[in-house]
Amino acid sequence: MRVLRAAFEPIGRSTLALLEYLGGLALLLWDGVWWMVVGPLRGKGRIRREESFFQMRRLGIDSLGIVALVIFFVGVILAFQMAYVLKTLGVTEYVANITGVAMTREMAPLLVAMVMTGFSGAAITAEIGTMVVSEEVLALETSALNPVRFLVVPRVLASMVIMPFVSLVATYIGIAGGFFVGNALLGIEAEKYLSRTLDSLKYKDIFTGLVKAEAFGVLVALIACHEGFHVTGGAEGVGRATTNAVVRSIVAIIVCDALFTAFFYYFL
Amino acid sequence: MTPPSTEARARGSRRTDEVVIEVKDLHVAFDGRPVLAGVDLRVYRGETLVIMGGSGCGKSTLLRTMIGALRPNRGKVVLLGKDLHALDEDGLDALRKRFGILFQSGALYNSMTVGENVALPLREHTSLDEAIIRIMVKMKLELVGLRDFESLVPSQISGGMRKRVGLARALALDPEIIFYDEPGAGLDPVVAGVIDKLIADLSRKLGVTSIVVTHEMGSAFRVADRMVMLYEGRVVAEGPPEAIRATADPLVRQFIHGEPDGPIPLRRSKTDYAEDLLA
Ligand SMILES: Nc1ncnc2c1ncn2[C@@H]1O[C@H](COP(=O)(O)OP(=O)(O)OP(=O)(O)O)[C@@H](O)[C@H]1O
Ligand SMILES: [Mg+2]
């Protein structure tokens, strides 16, 4: 009995902690959606448009360079790895099909989400966490300015708008990376490579990629905000929360990605 | 409770008999460690109440509970006729627009300029024209002597200046009640004096109710219509400044004269020192 208890108690406790965490996230999401839709309609407080645009620029434009760099090389890697197998089958030109589909459905949204996590997720947590520590959030609250409307809505909204866009751009650049390998190094003719890419892509591939990007965008911003609001214990707490935000976002993105991928595989 | 003192009247106190804040049997604990243990307090409209007490005795905690930012373990706060901790978010927000707070650290919005900090409550809670808001921001900043600093961001100004901007921001919506958490801390004597005068003017000229938390006795006696002293989570003394100054209570005497010896111990530990060392 004691052994059983020793074995299961930690599991039970961490399950509870996980559920509590997910509950907290869901609550924040609900609050965010409320202040995005219901609140403005009822005249409780408008969406801060300028701040949202500012966040979009910060999230999107600023991260685009790194995203482009990373995804180009992912395209290169993907093409080489595919060619390694496909060559033995004598169908090297299929590199184009596979790179195109994998980029669109999977690699672009996933890698953009990863870059965003390190890039803007961490920044959001640090920013909000610092505001909590310096009593700025308390000042907002006591001035009848809801912190969710004020801080969460612009960031989640920006992430929702920017992520599919960046993901789409990343898809092109990733395919360009694959094209570079396929055309310049493996000797697949340009026209053939491009027509193969286009032929193998269906609208639903683009659609599923965008759905993923959208979901990841919400996740990254939401988790970052959540961690920021729960900072305790000064500057040190901000550092801890930032690490937490990145780690938790990555786990959440991967799990979410697996669920989406399975769903799309069977039902779409 | 004590009526306004003759001294306070002579200085033009606008205290009335209307109770704007009533604190009843307030208990607040952090992780089981009690900080407030039954605070009872009344604040009358128009008066300046000074809450004094040693560092870490729970003054900021009391203030936070009085503005509805902390939920007490027991007891209640009635602010402007509303039971603060029974209100929903909308009710609270309606109330929050009627009081202003100067936080101990200023708590400016660091991503905004000084001017935007002061303008924010006006932009969010009024439908005033941008031109009028700009004028009002200048007026509020002029009150605290910082009109020329409008376009700087908080990281570019000193701690004392941040505090003054915080005050200008607290004044933005012309609140009925203003809470000050250590208004003079970190300011040079001249500026601290200016802030004291401002607190007094707001109360005497505009009839604003002020609650000032401080452990600086000079400033406390300059602004107070009435004083309370907080010690070990309770109000241990209450009265007009002249009565507090003349008190025979050794606790209060020690505090206002800053004497090292007396009933107030330096050490706050409840455990036995020798036992703790040997544990
Ligand atoms: N969020 C919190 N969690 C745990 N303990 C807290 C918290 N806030 C305050 N305390 C504790 O409550 C006590 C009173 O703190 P408070 O900030 O109210 O003191 P204070 O009288 O304002 O002191 P000071 O004059 O230094 O500003 C302190 O012992 C502090 O450690
Ligand atoms: Mg304090």
Side-chain angles (χ1 to χ4, degrees), chain A residues 37-106:
Chain A
V37 185
V38 188
L41 283 179
R42 286 203 199 152
K44 298 262 181 182
R46 52 188 180 73
I47 292 175
R48 294 174 73 210
R49 214 168 303 152
E50 257 169 61
E51 173 75 5
S52 306
F53 285 130
F54 173 78
Q55 292 295 337
M56 279 178 213
R57 206 175 53 222
R58 200 176 89 171
L59 262 60
I61 315 299
D62 294 356
S63 63
L64 217 51
I66 298 179
V67 165
L69 189 72
V70 169
I71 204 77
F72 182 83
F73 282 105
V74 171
V76 167
I77 294 166
L78 204 60
F80 272 127
Q81 295 287 18
M82 291 303 136
Y84 174 73
V85 177
L86 295 172
K87 192 174 57 189
T88 60
L89 304 172
V91 284
T92 315
E93 63 272 20
Y94 272 87
V95 165
N97 307 39
I98 299 177
T99 309
V101 172
M103 266 302 154
T104 314
R105 289 179 66 107
E106 184 61 58

Side-chain angles (χ1 to χ4, degrees), chain A residues 2 17-18 44 48 59 89 112 122 141 192-193 218 236 249 258:
Chain A
R2 271 238 298 283
L18 179 67
K44 298 262 181 182
R48 294 174 73 210
L59 262 60
L89 304 172
V112 168
E141 261 181 331
K192 199 161 144 198
Y193 192 102
V218 174
E236 209 183 280
S249 293

